[in-house]
Amino acid sequence: MAEIGVGMLGYAFMGKAHSNAFKKIAYMTWPPPLVPRLVGIAGRNEEAVGEAAERYGYEYATGDWRDLIADDRIGLFDNGGPNSLHAEPTIAAAEAGKHVICEKPLGRNADESHEIWRRVAAT
């Protein structure tokens, strides 16, 4: 079955929830269109994100979300980071040709949400 590499921004509540969902997709959606491979996870606290990578099953951890965008093995960028980090990483991932999931709210206000939508739709 074909795989898709996953890069996760955020290791706390939503990072844990989405990582768990990726691990279960193979039997919840049968047959799965793609099998998620947990490649990289990013977060601000390098020690905590390193522990999360080990616990959730990611191949590596990083303190910089840009590493996930630059990684060609990652085809899906999942932004579960804090609301203040929804716009820039989500737009960058889409512009790099990655599929994107962004936790709600998309933006901190209507204008930011519209800008994210507009920029991502343009890709």
Side-chain angles (χ1 to χ4, degrees), residues 69 77 89-100 119-121 123:
I69 305 299
F77 179 78
T90 296
I91 293 165
E95 288 177 345
K98 300 187 186 305
H99 299 280
V100 178
R119 301 261 313 265
V120 170
T123 67

Side-chain angles (χ1 to χ4, degrees), residues 34-35 65 74 80 83 93:
L34 296 168
V35 176
W65 59 264
I74 293 173
N83 296 349

Side-chain angles (χ1 to χ4, degrees), residues 9-95:
L9 171 56
Y11 57 87
F13 184 76
M14 291 318 301
K16 182 192 290 187
H18 287 205
S19 297
N20 182 52
F22 287 128
K23 289 183 165 225
K24 293 181 177 181
I25 207 165
Y27 71 85
M28 294 300 289
T29 305
W30 189 256
L34 296 168
V35 176
R37 186 173 113 230
L38 305 182
V39 177
I41 187 167
R44 293 176 288 196
N45 180 317
E46 291 197 33
E47 183 178 342
V49 76
E51 291 171 4
E54 186 176 338
R55 189 168 63 246
Y56 305 158
Y58 284 87
E59 295 173 17
Y60 72 88
T62 179
D64 189 344
W65 59 264
R66 291 167 189 84
D67 295 338
L68 304 177
I69 305 299
D71 191 332
D72 291 335
R73 298 173 300 160
I74 293 173
L76 171 64
F77 179 78
D78 188 334
N79 189 342
N83 296 349
S84 62
L85 282 179
H86 282 187
E88 185 181 4
T90 296
I91 293 165
E95 288 177 345

